[in-house]
Amino acid sequence: MATDWNELDQRAVNMAKALSGDAVEKAGSGHPGTPISLAAVAYLLYQRHLRFDPQDSDWLGRDRFVLSAGHASLLQYLQLYLAGQSMELEDLKKFRTFNSYTPGHPEYRHTKGVEVTTGPLGSGFAAAVGFAMASRRAHGMLDPDTPLGESPFDHNIYVIAGDGCLQEGISGEVSSLAGVQDLGNLIVIWDDNHISIEDDTDVSFQEDVLARYQSYGWHTQRVNWLQEDGSYREDVDALDQAINAAKAEKHRPSIIALRTIIGWPSPTMQNTGAIHGAKLGETELKGLKEALGMDPEKMFAVDQEALQHARDNAAARAQAAHGDWDPRFEQWKQTNPDKSKLLERILAGKLPEGIEEALPVFPAGESLATRAASGKVISAIGAVMPEYWGGSADLAGSNNTTIAGADSFIPESAQTDMWKGNPFGRVLHFGVREHGMGGIMNGIAIDGLTRVFGGTFFVFSDYMRGAVRLAALMNIPVTYVWTHDSIGVGEDGPTHQPVEHLSAYRAIPNLAMVRPMDANETAAAWLAVLRQHGPAGLILTRQALPVYQREDMEGAGADALASAKNVSKGAYVLADSEGEPEVILLASGSEVQCALEARAALAKESIAARVVSVPCMEWFKAQDAAYREQVLPSAVKARVSIEAGLVDPWRDLVGDNGESIGLDDFGLPGAAAELFAHYGLDSEHVVAAAKRSLARVRS
């Protein structure tokens, strides 16, 4: 056999199948079918193809393995166990139990060896495309003169996907883009078993998948373990040859359709929906073990000789991989001292020196949409931060997401009259694929050598919410440039006016939603986002907003507003009264100007008002109690908030005596100015609300 597959290998596979059944049986729930039927597939990858080090899960030279069919988490856990990578039998016995090392779906940063959180089907597939793109970008950034495939920064990405992954729309989005991008380092094994929870997939899934992938521009192969005569044989050699052929294909991503029987060789439940997501039961589990030639009465039986064989092989392969990679990496460092320093800075999680000074300062008195200001900031950051890159879901001109002077990340075959570039470029073109964009950015961010951003209209963030939630769950540094932030979109009408989106996204833990009031707050917001290590959404206007004089700007007078650098605190006193304020006016984004105008109007009536800019509620909540009290003194109970969205998030900040001005429907067609007036998003309504709040407090 080309794989040198021997009796000990087969015994290790059989043990993995039995342990899969045991772990689910003990847990009382889980998905045993795929871990049983694909045990040989995963073993082949880990023991013959995947370049990794069981003792160093973060090794820079490793390949990536993504279990897109995340419900089959045992499939990966058992390979980590067999390879000796921080996984022991006791961990398998605690499968799916409270806070165990072996949760029901693979979780990034929780279990060593798990590269990305998967579970929502297709999301792992999308992240894998991101890993493949990130590898090529890192090559271009750090080692551009070395041919692709020969750099220490090149690696392969292996994916195991199921029928459900191929049905989800996100996989189609990213697969289409992967074909355009010629991602030859991406290899997908599709478990073509024709079974899902509702049993036979013919009820909903009948297309010729490989024909679809051929049309995407992929390299396609088929391996049949289920023969036409109904016989079944786990032909590891045929799969090994297909993987080698995929590795030899340097320009196209590869998909291997592997025809399997789910749950084989379970005696009565194989090839049924019943084995997909439920324990086998005592009788069926014993029948499985008998079919494998194992003692049916023993639970969690370990073949020590087979286990040691697998661990010895994994260790030997890791040593050989290091023997090849380490000298090449050392040679690269000696030949490229400047790029070596760049890599050291990136791995340390530090920003380049002078980045704050590189940001533009926008002169007071002009008007500029925050999306336009963001575009200028993006180009300024790109000029000093080589690892920074990004683009849009076909909205570059509207989102202002193009780094000035940068090449597109694009193969020669996909260049157009408008967009020129090379495979190592920095401007990303995701196409009209918001969900795919979000999933790809997750993979790029986890790869860790670059810092990615991606844009679309804020209303279309609905399409990518699943990917955003996963970014927040993993707490990874993805930045979303969400423009056209409110009814300020105007004439496009309610379908394009994001009203409920701020509230909906503020409900996601770990996600910072940043809505700056003007151009200089936008620059400060970008810097604050880059300094944090979790996901953030920049919520930016289509309409022009006034740029205000700040206390730290040249020519600042006594009436200048507080420095925009305070954005990093989430909320800050923007403009204050001479004495103690009687009422506090809170706002974000374009409505801050309404609060400032209301403050001036209230002053004429001898009512002292403080204006607090609240660009990011999440950052403000993270400040200590003393700072929050300083900004929002508990003694000042008269408060008004104004924001062009739902008012619910403001309730805690305005209190029982306060009022919130916002929207409670989906908007209307019309010009932005007309809409703001219609909904009372103006200084007159703030003044009236402030007086009502004061009256309640005084009474």
Side-chain angles (χ1 to χ4, degrees), residues 103 138 145 188 449 454 521 527 553-554 567 614 628 652:
D145 297 329
V188 176
L449 295 186
E521 263 204 7
L527 182 61
M553 293 170 63
E554 187 176 347
V567 165
V614 190
R628 296 197 305 271
D652 289 344

Side-chain angles (χ1 to χ4, degrees), residues 416-470:
T416 67
D417 291 340
M418 178 177 288
W419 298 104
K420 304 297 183 185
N422 58 74
F424 301 147
R426 299 172 67 186
V427 178
L428 288 165
H429 304 281
F430 292 102
V432 188
R433 304 181 179 100
E434 292 88 358
H435 197 186
M437 175 178 71
I440 287 170
M441 288 197 296
N442 287 348
I444 291 173
I446 295 169
D447 181 80
L449 295 186
T450 61
R451 194 70 184 260
V452 69
F453 61 88
T456 188
F457 288 0
F458 192 25
V459 76
F460 299 140
S461 66
D462 277 345
Y463 287 134
M464 59 192 298
R465 186 176 177 86
V468 177
R469 182 180 185 274
L470 284 174

Side-chain angles (χ1 to χ4, degrees), residues 93-285:
K93 291 179 179 180
K94 295 176 182 177
F95 178 57
R96 291 174 71 95
T97 60
F98 175 71
N99 204 32
S100 76
Y101 193 59
T102 48
H105 291 83
E107 295 180 17
Y108 173 63
R109 290 198 181 111
H110 184 83
T111 308
K112 288 184 178 181
V114 170
E115 300 285 0
V116 58
T117 297
T118 59
L121 294 177
S123 64
F125 201 131
V129 173
F131 281 131
M133 293 169 65
S135 173
R136 196 171 84 200
R137 173 62 197 145
H139 178 129
M141 177 177 67
L142 297 169
D143 199 15
D145 297 329
T146 300
L148 269 174
E150 300 179 17
S151 168
F153 302 101
D154 295 326
H155 52 264
N156 289 324
I157 294 85
Y158 297 94
V159 182
I160 288 181
D163 289 316
C165 296
L166 272 292
Q167 291 174 45
E168 285 286 359
I170 189 173
S171 65
E173 292 182 23
V174 301
S175 296
S176 175
L177 183 59
V180 172
Q181 284 290 349
D182 294 346
L183 298 177
N185 57 342
L186 176 62
I187 300 170
V188 176
I189 299 174
W190 164 39
D191 180 22
D192 179 19
N193 62 41
H194 294 203
I195 294 292
S196 64
I197 292 176
E198 295 184 1
D199 207 73
D200 197 313
T201 56
D202 277 350
V203 298
S204 62
F205 187 51
Q206 295 187 0
E207 77 243 31
D208 186 336
V209 171
L210 289 191
R212 174 157 63 97
Y213 273 79
Q214 286 171 1
S215 74
Y216 287 152
W218 284 54
H219 174 244
T220 64
Q221 300 177 84
R222 178 171 292 282
V223 175
N224 289 315
W225 284 1
L226 176 62
Q227 305 303 311
E228 292 184 3
D229 62 4
S231 62
Y232 191 78
R233 182 170 70 91
E234 291 184 339
D235 190 346
V236 177
D237 192 50
L239 179 58
D240 182 64
Q241 292 177 31
I243 295 171
N244 283 327
K247 289 160 70 173
E249 171 56 60
K250 301 300 184 184
H251 299 289
R252 292 176 294 171
S254 292
I255 184 168
I256 301 167
L258 178 65
R259 183 65 173 98
T260 65
I261 293 178
I262 190 171
W264 187 87
S266 177
T268 68
M269 290 175 64
Q270 64 172 278
N271 203 35
T272 68
I275 203 170
H276 170 91
K279 65 179 184 177
L280 276 67
E282 182 179 356
T283 301
E284 188 75 9
L285 182 57

Side-chain angles (χ1 to χ4, degrees), residues 258-571:
L258 178 65
R259 183 65 173 98
T260 65
I261 293 178
I262 190 171
W264 187 87
S266 177
T268 68
M269 290 175 64
Q270 64 172 278
N271 203 35
T272 68
I275 203 170
H276 170 91
K279 65 179 184 177
L280 276 67
E282 182 179 356
T283 301
E284 188 75 9
L285 182 57
K286 288 182 178 180
L288 169 67
K289 292 175 182 177
E290 288 174 349
L292 294 170
M294 302 178 70
D295 188 338
E297 301 300 327
K298 289 186 177 180
M299 293 285 288
F300 294 100
V302 174
D303 183 333
Q304 291 293 344
E305 187 180 12
L307 176 64
Q308 193 60 50
H309 167 73
R311 291 187 171 182
D312 288 347
N313 184 67
R317 290 186 67 250
Q319 184 177 14
H322 275 286
D324 169 67
W325 187 86
D326 292 352
R328 290 190 293 121
F329 183 59
E330 289 301 320
Q331 179 62 39
W332 171 83
K333 287 197 294 185
Q334 294 177 15
T335 307
N336 301 275
D338 291 341
K339 293 188 182 300
S340 180
K341 290 180 180 178
L342 170 62
L343 178 61
E344 288 178 8
R345 175 179 65 74
I346 292 171
L347 293 176
K350 296 180 180 179
L351 295 177
E353 292 184 9
I355 189 169
E356 185 171 353
E357 291 73 21
L359 298 180
V361 176
F362 299 92
E366 67 176 36
S367 289
L368 192 66
T370 52
R371 63 168 175 157
S374 173
K376 295 180 183 296
V377 176
I378 283 172
S379 292
I381 295 171
V384 298
M385 192 171 171
E387 69 269 31
Y388 182 73
W389 64 324
S392 287
D394 198 52
L395 288 167
S398 293
N399 295 149
N400 291 268
T401 50
T402 302
I403 299 173
D407 293 332
S408 289
F409 180 85
I410 197 168
E412 184 178 350
S413 60
Q415 295 186 55
T416 67
D417 291 340
M418 178 177 288
W419 298 104
K420 304 297 183 185
N422 58 74
F424 301 147
R426 299 172 67 186
V427 178
L428 288 165
H429 304 281
F430 292 102
V432 188
R433 304 181 179 100
E434 292 88 358
H435 197 186
M437 175 178 71
I440 287 170
M441 288 197 296
N442 287 348
I444 291 173
I446 295 169
D447 181 80
L449 295 186
T450 61
R451 194 70 184 260
V452 69
F453 61 88
T456 188
F457 288 0
F458 192 25
V459 76
F460 299 140
S461 66
D462 277 345
Y463 287 134
M464 59 192 298
R465 186 176 177 86
V468 177
R469 182 180 185 274
L470 284 174
L473 179 64
M474 294 183 283
N475 201 24
I476 55 177
V478 178
T479 305
Y480 309 103
V481 181
W482 285 326
T483 70
H484 298 61
D485 73 333
S486 67
I487 55 172
V489 173
E491 295 83 355
D492 280 328
T495 63
H496 282 52
Q497 293 170 6
V499 172
E500 77 280 17
H501 295 65
L502 269 170
S503 296
Y505 272 110
R506 282 170 174 157
I508 295 180
N510 293 337
L511 177 63
M513 296 295 286
V514 193
R515 190 169 182 250
M517 64 167 281
D518 70 356
N520 286 310
E521 263 204 7
T522 302
W526 260 115
L527 182 61
V529 165
L530 290 176
R531 283 174 169 164
Q532 70 169 28
H533 299 289
L538 288 165
I539 316 304
L540 307 171
T541 66
R542 175 199 186 198
Q543 73 274 25
L545 301 179
V547 180
Y548 291 93
Q549 185 73 36
R550 303 282 181 159
E551 62 187 12
D552 54 355
M553 293 170 63
E554 187 176 347
D559 59 347
L561 303 181
S563 171
K565 294 178 181 179
N566 293 309
V567 165
S568 62
K569 298 177 180 177

